């Protein structure tokens, strides 16, 4: 496999052929914020948090493969503010009530808001009317918190590879539906995996929770992406 | 030079943010040296006695009295701070925003399992419930936002120090939290 050379904010980086900008950046110790991206499942480019500038154009770093000699801009003030604005948009687009959410402290949306020091969203709240679906035996599905990153759609599969979750409706009415038969068959382990896949608190396991005290949760002490930057 | 004057209020909040103000511990002695309090539950002054420099509001607006009080604060305070999740986005009370008011009232006063022959309160003395819970900035202009449930004492302290000294606000990672 051939090695390719490219730069991120002037830093010389190397990438293997076929690697996306996000993957290659991580291998070179550079953090590009991601939200809908999850290692091991096919990138969707749904949230655009990872937007970088290449050749004067904005591209989703999670879906764009590196090419030889590519010049990537990552931490420019414009890009950072655009990423912050996407986070703020996601906060006003749903009903994100961190104080009552079990995922608080382990939530990637919240962690990104912390990383960008979001004190309050700059956009007006939309107060959408969305419900909680408690029909799956092992999981709550809370539409209020869903950011439609499609991680569950892409990542949660039955043993034969069929998708458990899928999109229903169109446009602003899109929500995550599920195949009742496959969802009902989810065991504890699969339910936990689905909850871990969900970056926010839209998939929550029933019967367990709040096991980790405040102060010891994933993003209580250190910002998301910090592990790459400290290394 | 006279001391800067601070006023505070809790609207549709739980007083947790005010508790967090007290959580600045012994720094409260310094604060008392630096500022004077006007209308506030801290000194129990009920009405504004003068124009204030800083107004700190906890809680959103869930009824007509909250709105009146908030407008009063905007009028009497040069700088208005939304303190905590409820002030910023409605918080816990805003969980009713997707439910019609009538349904909420019926559930609380008529259909709740512990109610026996209840009535929905409707007295002229009572403030009117709003159709939903409004964050402060949807009603008046808000100058600064301090998130948290409650905001950490250090965040409140850092913000007050920055305002009083006219320096940039120090926001280390640990102090900005939404829960």
């Amino acid at each position: 496999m051939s090695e390719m050379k490219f730069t991120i904010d002037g830093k010389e980086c190397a990438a293997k052929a076929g690697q996306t900008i996000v993957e290659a950046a991580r291998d070179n110790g550079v953090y590009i914020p991601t939200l809908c991206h999850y290692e091991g499942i096919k990138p969707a480019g749904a949230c655009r948090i990872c937007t970088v500038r290449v050749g004067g154009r904005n591209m989703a770093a999670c879906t764009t493969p590196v090419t030889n000699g590519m010049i990537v801009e990552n931490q420019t003030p414009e890009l950072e503010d655009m990423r912050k604005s996407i986070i703020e948009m996601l906060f006003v687009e749903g009903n994100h009530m961190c104080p009552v959410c079990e995922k608080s402290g382990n939530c990637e949306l919240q962690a990104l808001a912390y990383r960008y020091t979001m004190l309050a969203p700059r956009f007006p709240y939309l107060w959408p009317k969305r419900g909680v679906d408690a029909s799956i035996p092992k999981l709550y599905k809370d539409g209020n918190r869903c950011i439609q990153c499609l991680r569950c759609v892409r990542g949660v599969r039955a043993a034969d590879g069929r998708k458990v979750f899928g999109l229903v409706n169109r446009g602003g009415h899109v929500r995550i539906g599920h195949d009742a038969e496959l969802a009902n068959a989810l065991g504890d382990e699969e339910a936990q995996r689905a909850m871990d896949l969900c970056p926010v608190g839209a998939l929550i396991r029933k019967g367990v929770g709040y096991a980790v005290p405040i102060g010891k949760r994933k993003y209580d002490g250190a910002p998301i992406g910090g592990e790459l930057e400290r290394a | 030079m006279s001391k800067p004057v601070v006023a505070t209020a809790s609207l549709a909040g739980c007083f947790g943010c005010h508790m967090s103000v007290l959580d600045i511990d012994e720094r409260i002695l310094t604060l008392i040296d630096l500022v004077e309090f006007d209308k506030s539950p801290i000194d129990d002054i009920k009405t504004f006695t003068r124009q204030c420099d800083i107004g700190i509001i906890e809680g959103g607006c869930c009824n007509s009295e909250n709105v009146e009080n908030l407008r009063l604060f905007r009028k009497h305070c040069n700088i208005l701070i939304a303190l905590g999740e409820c002030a910023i986005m409605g918080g816990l009370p805003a969980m009713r925003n997707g439910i019609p008011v009538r349904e909420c009232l019926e559930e609380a006063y008529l259909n709740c399992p512990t109610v026996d022959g209840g009535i929905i309160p409707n007295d002229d003395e009572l403030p009117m419930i709003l159709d939903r819970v409004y964050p402060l900035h949807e009603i008046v202009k808000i100058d600064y936002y301090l998130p948290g449930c409650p905001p950490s004492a250090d965040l409140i302290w850092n913000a007050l120090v920055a305002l009083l000294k006219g320096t940039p606000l120090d926001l280390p990672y640990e102090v900005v939290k939404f829960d």
Side-chain angles (χ1 to χ4, degrees):
Chain A
M1 206 176 261
S2 60
E3 278 257 310
M4 291 186 292
K5 298 262 179 256
F6 72 111
T7 63
I8 302 175
D9 293 335
K11 183 185 167 173
E12 296 277 346
C13 299
K16 296 186 201 82
Q19 265 190 322
T20 63
I21 300 175
V22 161
E23 289 166 341
R26 187 199 52 223
D27 289 353
N28 287 277
V30 176
Y31 176 69
I32 297 175
T34 56
L35 186 56
C36 70
H37 183 62
Y38 193 88
E39 223 181 312
I41 59 175
K42 196 179 167 192
C47 74
R48 317 312 271 195
I49 286 293
C50 66
T51 299
V52 290
R53 218 165 157 77
V54 181
R57 297 180 63 144
N58 290 341
M59 312 219 176
C62 70
T63 55
T64 309
V66 175
T67 55
N68 208 11
M70 197 180 232
I71 298 165
V72 180
E73 291 174 72
N74 177 33
Q75 286 206 339
T76 66
E78 290 80 14
L79 284 172
E80 291 288 79
D81 186 61
M82 191 209 63
R83 289 164 179 167
K84 189 179 182 185
S85 73
I86 293 175
I87 298 293
E88 293 172 6
M89 244 187 279
L90 288 171
F91 264 89
V92 301
E93 189 271 343
N95 298 308
H96 296 278
M97 308 207 169
C98 297
V100 293
C101 181
E102 194 186 317
K103 200 66 175 266
S104 187
N106 297 314
C107 169
E108 290 178 36
L109 178 65
Q110 188 192 54
L112 283 164
Y114 290 166
R115 185 184 165 92
Y116 289 105
T117 327
M118 181 189 99
L119 296 180
R122 69 191 81 171
F123 306 107
Y125 288 101
L126 298 184
W127 307 115
K129 287 187 173 60
R130 302 209 188 123
V132 178
D133 184 343
S135 65
I136 305 172
K138 301 282 183 189
L139 284 171
Y140 292 108
K141 214 176 69 182
D142 191 340
N144 293 295
R145 302 167 183 166
C146 181
I147 56 167
Q148 289 152 18
C149 66
L150 312 184
R151 278 197 198 174
C152 61
V153 173
R154 287 173 286 154
V156 184
R157 307 241 179 185
D160 59 2
R162 279 188 293 167
K163 286 179 176 176
V164 177
F165 297 95
L167 284 179
V168 289
N169 300 340
R170 279 174 176 273
H173 303 288
V174 158
R175 58 181 179 83
I176 303 291
H178 63 268
D179 181 313
E181 194 191 315
L182 296 180
N184 290 352
L186 292 176
D188 285 322
E189 247 173 66
E190 289 119 327
Q192 182 62 49
R193 194 180 123 69
M195 181 173 166
D196 293 341
L197 256 181
C198 182
V200 290
L203 289 175
I204 295 282
R205 258 185 88 190
K206 287 182 182 174
V208 290
Y210 296 107
V212 182
I214 290 176
K216 297 212 163 131
R217 300 165 309 181
K218 205 167 171 191
Y219 302 115
D220 278 338
I224 189 169
E227 65 284 349
L228 265 181
E229 287 161 345
R230 277 189 301 275
Chain B
M1 204 180 87
S2 60
K3 290 180 186 178
V5 186
V6 177
T8 77
S10 176
L11 305 180
C14 69
F15 267 94
C17 298
H18 273 80
M19 298 304 286
S20 210
V21 174
L22 300 180
D23 246 358
I24 61 175
D25 298 331
E26 75 279 4
R27 285 174 288 185
I28 204 157
L29 299 173
T30 317
L31 186 64
I32 295 299
D33 281 340
L34 291 173
V35 303
E36 267 178 68
F37 280 90
D38 199 72
K39 178 176 161 67
S40 167
I42 290 174
D43 54 16
D44 212 22
I45 296 177
K46 307 284 191 200
T47 50
F48 280 105
T49 63
R50 61 199 134 161
Q51 185 68 17
C52 300
D53 297 284
I54 303 170
I56 302 174
I57 312 265
E58 160 193 347
C61 290
C62 76
N63 63 34
S64 55
E65 192 208 14
N66 294 153
V67 175
E68 221 170 281
N69 213 349
L70 177 60
R71 291 204 168 121
L72 206 61
F73 263 77
R74 183 66 273 183
K75 208 172 140 198
H76 286 88
C77 302
N78 299 337
I79 291 169
L80 210 51
I81 302 175
L83 183 67
E85 286 292 309
C86 300
I88 292 172
M89 59 82 65
L92 252 78
M95 291 187 80
R96 80 163 161 95
N97 282 6
I99 306 165
V101 176
R102 171 165 289 281
E103 229 174 275
C104 286
L105 290 171
E106 282 175 356
E107 180 62 27
Y109 293 106
L110 302 180
N111 306 328
C112 170
T114 54
V115 168
D116 181 28
I119 52 159
I120 293 176
N122 185 22
D123 192 287
D124 288 345
E125 293 280 311
L126 294 173
M128 293 300 282
I129 294 267
L130 302 180
D131 61 333
R132 63 172 173 91
V133 177
Y134 291 77
L136 302 185
H137 69 268
E138 291 186 1
I139 292 172
V140 298
K141 183 186 185 307
I142 295 295
D143 300 297
Y144 298 105
Y145 300 86
L146 300 176
C149 185
S152 74
D154 287 333
L155 176 61
I156 297 168
W157 176 254
N158 290 358
L160 285 174
V161 167
L163 272 178
L164 294 173
K165 287 167 74 176
T167 52
L169 176 52
D170 183 26
L171 289 170
Y173 185 78
E174 299 74 33
V175 307
V176 179
K177 289 284 172 321
F178 300 161
D179 62 358

